[in-house]
Amino acid sequence: MTLGKLQSLLERERAHALARFHLDEALGTHHGLSWSDFVLLQRLDSEPAGVPEAQLARALGMLRSRLLLRTRPLEKLGLVSRVGSDDARPVKLSPAGRRLLREARETAAAACAELTLS
């Protein structure tokens, strides 16, 4: 990787971190969610029957152990549930999670609009 490419990658990482911070703040203030929570709930929304843990972890680019750390609090809040007890253990968005996600989408869209203005 040339120095120019490295600099470009570092600049993109900085922009990504600033965007994530802004979205974390907006979603946390209004809905008690982080951007990562929002992305996870968004992914589950497209799969009404749920998504097996291993598949969900791959889709989100994380280890299953990290996924467990992310989903456990959401499960305790009643936003997601686990179906079954086998190794596949699909994670499913609950009706409460679906409602919260619908409300949070408006906040996330507004926060993204603010980012493009600055």
Side-chain angles (χ1 to χ4, degrees):
M1 183 179 294
T2 67
L3 195 53
K5 289 182 181 181
L6 174 61
Q7 187 61 36
S8 176
L9 185 59
L10 289 171
E11 288 171 10
R12 280 187 275 162
E13 178 60 29
R14 182 175 181 274
H16 179 76
L18 290 172
R20 179 179 292 273
F21 178 80
H22 184 69
L23 287 157
D24 278 345
E25 186 174 46
L27 289 166
T29 298
H30 298 288
H31 308 286
L33 294 174
S34 69
W35 172 246
S36 296
D37 294 335
F38 178 83
V39 170
L40 190 153
L41 296 177
Q42 183 72 30
R43 175 65 180 89
L44 292 175
D45 191 41
S46 65
E47 300 285 344
V51 181
E53 286 180 338
Q55 182 182 338
L56 182 58
R58 274 193 308 278
L60 297 173
M62 63 178 64
L63 298 172
R64 281 180 74 181
S65 58
R66 180 73 178 135
L67 176 66
L68 180 62
L69 292 174
R70 298 233 37 95
T71 57
R72 186 65 53 106
L74 297 173
E75 189 175 9
K76 288 181 180 181
L77 290 170
L79 302 177
V80 301
S81 62
R82 294 183 196 288
V83 184
S85 59
D86 63 349
D87 194 37
R89 293 183 57 183
V91 180
K92 184 177 178 179
L93 189 60
S94 72
R98 198 169 309 289
R99 277 191 304 277
L100 181 63
L101 178 60
R102 190 173 45 247
E103 296 165 4
R105 277 188 189 122
E106 292 180 27
T107 303
C112 286
E114 290 172 5
L115 284 170
T116 59
L117 295 176
S118 46

